Amino acid sequence: MRVREKSLLIVVAVLAALGSGLYVLASSTVIGAFERLEDSNAREDMQRVLNAMEGVLHRLDASAGDWSNWDDTYRFAGDGNREFAEVNLTDRALVELDVDFLLIADRANRPVAELAVDLASGSRVDPPADLPAILARPGSPMAGLEPGEERSGILLLGGKAALVSAKPVLTSQGEGPSMGTLVFGRFLDQAAIESLEKTTRLGVSVSLPGDPSAPMDMDLAARSLVIGKTVVREIGDGDRIASYGMIADLSGKPAMLLRVDGPRDVLERGKQAMSTLLYSLALLGLVSLLVIMFLMDRLVLARIAGLSARAEEIARAGDMSARLQVKGRDEISRLAESTNLMLGRLEQAGNLDALTGLANRSRFQKEVSAVGKRPVGIVICDVDGLKLINDTLGHAAGDSLLVTASGIIGRCAGDAALASRIGGDEFAVLMPGAGQIAVG
């Protein structure tokens, strides 16, 4: 594998590792943040529905306040006169008040009047049968209210949840003593739930504790919920988020499970943001790869490839006089300089005799071949007695004799001629342009 391919693989691997690490880190951070935001929004949605229910209670409180602080109601609670009932306790009155039922009780918590209507049709229906019993029960939170006291909240009546407002019956000036209790109520039926959904633009569901017909998710949530706590879970195929809350009645006991659900828009936006981030990282990685490879190829790889090709060319030709091109002042240029220095030394070693320092036989033959048809003079000589000296005095003495002889021959030849050692004890001097007379 070539250096360019290795470099490409390394850069791709590094960028892929960095991109993957960054994506995992960003995914855990960003998606985690969106999930926390989604959870917070789901809890806020629950509070929005509770606030809408509070709004219904405020309207009940206002209506109940108007009726309970009224001299006519005060007298009616005391004497139960028919004139008040005929004029005021009508089906139309409850429809206009948007109240499902009312109860007026005397000081002994005995019902003086009960009335209930179907708000959809405006027709009279039976009032909640268990409301008088709840009111008369010892310790009832709605009984025995005095000036300044009032009760409002959730009450279970006939297996249904209702918003109720209970107030003491006082004079028009709000003075007592209390003549009894007035209760206004609004069932959390389908119409009321649809009204809450329209107000909050959220899905709203209600179930009672232990209701066997409750959806499975609400039944599971009810098992772990306590009053005042909100639990957030995904529902359906995971495309919706729901918050669950247990609502207490006027006695502080669990009365109703409320579920508020909506689309997972927040998390979907988070996933879209992560997709955008992923595509951006991929595009950035691709651009970075192209830029890095272009710069590496131009500044490093192409120069190395050029040096490698030139070195192979010199090796095939066997021309130690050739040199590499040197550009720049970096490690690659120093490598070229070192290679050229090595070529020079190889050239020198290939053309010189190692012992005498004169040109060797190969160099002499090259120079003779290069003369062509030009006039040239050649002097050939040898050293007599070299074998005798080697045999009697040793090769070191013989080598010393050769070095001395080569020095004399070189000085006599001068710079214009080429003095060479062409054999063991043989020397030759090449004199380009010299004729017979000059050689002689």
Side-chain angles (χ1 to χ4, degrees):
M1 184 180 293
R2 296 183 300 175
V3 174
R4 180 179 279 105
E5 296 169 348
K6 292 180 179 179
S7 301
L8 177 61
L9 288 178
I10 292 173
V11 172
V12 170
V14 170
L15 288 178
L18 289 176
S20 300
L22 181 60
Y23 178 77
V24 171
L25 178 62
S27 178
S28 61
T29 302
V30 174
I31 295 299
F34 275 97
E35 288 177 343
R36 290 189 294 272
L37 178 61
E38 180 183 61
D39 183 272
S40 176
N41 286 351
R43 296 176 188 275
E44 290 179 1
D45 290 342
M46 170 64 73
Q47 190 58 50
R48 285 170 55 195
V49 173
L50 292 176
N51 291 341
M53 292 172 59
E54 285 291 333
V56 176
L57 278 175
H58 287 325
R59 290 192 293 273
L60 280 176
D61 283 339
S63 299
D66 291 341
W67 277 57
S68 63
N69 290 353
W70 186 17
D71 290 339
D72 290 353
T73 307
Y74 193 79
R75 286 190 295 271
F76 177 72
D79 58 19
N81 63 88
R82 296 178 58 86
E83 181 181 357
F84 177 87
E86 293 174 353
V87 174
N88 298 290
L89 301 181
T90 64
D91 302 344
R92 180 178 179 182
L94 263 64
V95 172
E96 290 177 351
L97 291 170
D98 196 27
V99 172
D100 284 316
F101 59 87
L102 68 79
L103 180 145
I104 300 176
D106 60 16
R107 292 175 60 85
N109 297 321
R110 294 187 299 263
V112 177
E114 293 183 81
L115 181 64
V117 297
D118 180 359
L119 294 178
S121 63
S123 59
R124 183 170 298 194
V125 296
D126 293 334
D130 46 356
L131 180 57
I134 293 174
L135 184 63
R137 184 184 305 157
S140 171
M142 297 187 295
L145 299 179
E146 295 297 333
E149 296 179 340
E150 58 182 43
R151 300 287 185 272
S152 63
I154 301 290
L155 197 63
L156 293 181
L157 297 172
K160 296 188 292 185
L163 298 174
V164 298
S165 175
K167 294 182 179 293
V169 178
L170 307 174
T171 67
S172 296
Q173 289 74 36
E175 298 175 350
S178 171
M179 193 58 68
T181 304
L182 179 140
V183 180
F184 276 8
R186 180 76 163 85
F187 283 113
L188 284 173
D189 52 16
Q190 188 60 36
I193 292 174
E194 289 176 357
S195 177
L196 289 174
E197 290 180 329
K198 183 177 180 181
T199 301
T200 60
R201 297 183 180 179
L202 296 166
V204 179
S205 301
V206 171
S207 71
L208 303 182
D211 183 0
S213 63
M216 183 179 297
D217 65 298
M218 297 185 72
D219 183 57
L220 292 175
R223 299 176 186 179
S224 60
L225 274 174
V226 296
I227 295 173
K229 180 182 178 182
T230 300
V231 174
V232 178
R233 295 174 180 170
E234 64 178 36
I235 59 174
D237 295 329
D239 57 342
R240 295 183 71 82
I241 189 75
S243 53
Y244 304 83
M246 185 64 73
I247 313 299
D249 63 10
L250 290 175
S251 300
K253 299 178 181 179
M256 180 183 74
L257 177 63
L258 178 65
R259 183 185 73 186
V260 179
D261 63 271
R264 306 190 72 175
D265 294 337
V266 173
L267 186 61
E268 186 62 29
R269 287 196 291 268
K271 292 180 178 179
Q272 291 175 359
M274 285 307 303
S275 297
T276 302
L277 176 62
L278 178 61
Y279 293 139
S280 299
L281 287 176
L283 179 59
L284 179 61
L286 178 60
V287 172
S288 300
L289 174 63
L290 294 176
V291 171
I292 292 173
M293 290 308 302
F294 173 77
L295 293 177
M296 285 186 61
D297 189 76
R298 185 177 182 85
L299 300 178
V300 179
L301 300 179
R303 295 171 63 194
I304 293 177
L307 292 179
S308 176
R310 179 58 176 160
E312 291 178 0
E313 181 182 340
I314 293 173
R316 286 194 299 269
D319 184 7
M320 297 297 106
S321 64
R323 296 293 182 266
L324 301 179
Q325 189 176 16
V326 179
K327 292 182 178 180
R329 298 180 60 83
D330 53 17
E331 289 81 354
I332 298 177
S333 63
R334 287 196 290 272
L335 174 62
E337 292 173 351
S338 299
T339 303
N340 287 338
L341 179 61
M342 179 182 65
L343 288 172
R345 291 178 178 176
L346 289 174
E347 179 187 15
Q348 185 178 15
N351 292 328
L352 297 180
D353 179 67
L355 176 63
T356 63
L358 298 180
N360 58 17
R361 184 182 185 89
S362 175
R363 171 74 183 282
F364 179 77
Q365 290 175 341
K366 290 179 183 178
E367 294 296 332
V368 170
S369 300
V371 169
K373 297 182 179 181
R374 291 175 295 166
V376 64
I378 298 177
V379 177
I380 298 177
C381 58
D382 60 9
V383 178
D384 293 335
L386 177 62
K387 184 176 185 307
L388 178 62
I389 293 176
N390 285 335
D391 293 342
T392 57
L393 300 179
H395 286 279
D399 290 344
S400 177
L401 175 61
L402 289 174
V403 170
T404 300
S406 66
I408 296 172
I409 294 171
R411 287 193 297 273
C412 293
D415 295 335
L418 176 65
S420 307
R421 182 188 177 194
I422 59 175
D425 60 353
E426 296 176 345
F427 295 86
V429 178
L430 180 65
M431 304 171 65
Q436 185 176 1
I437 296 176
V439 173

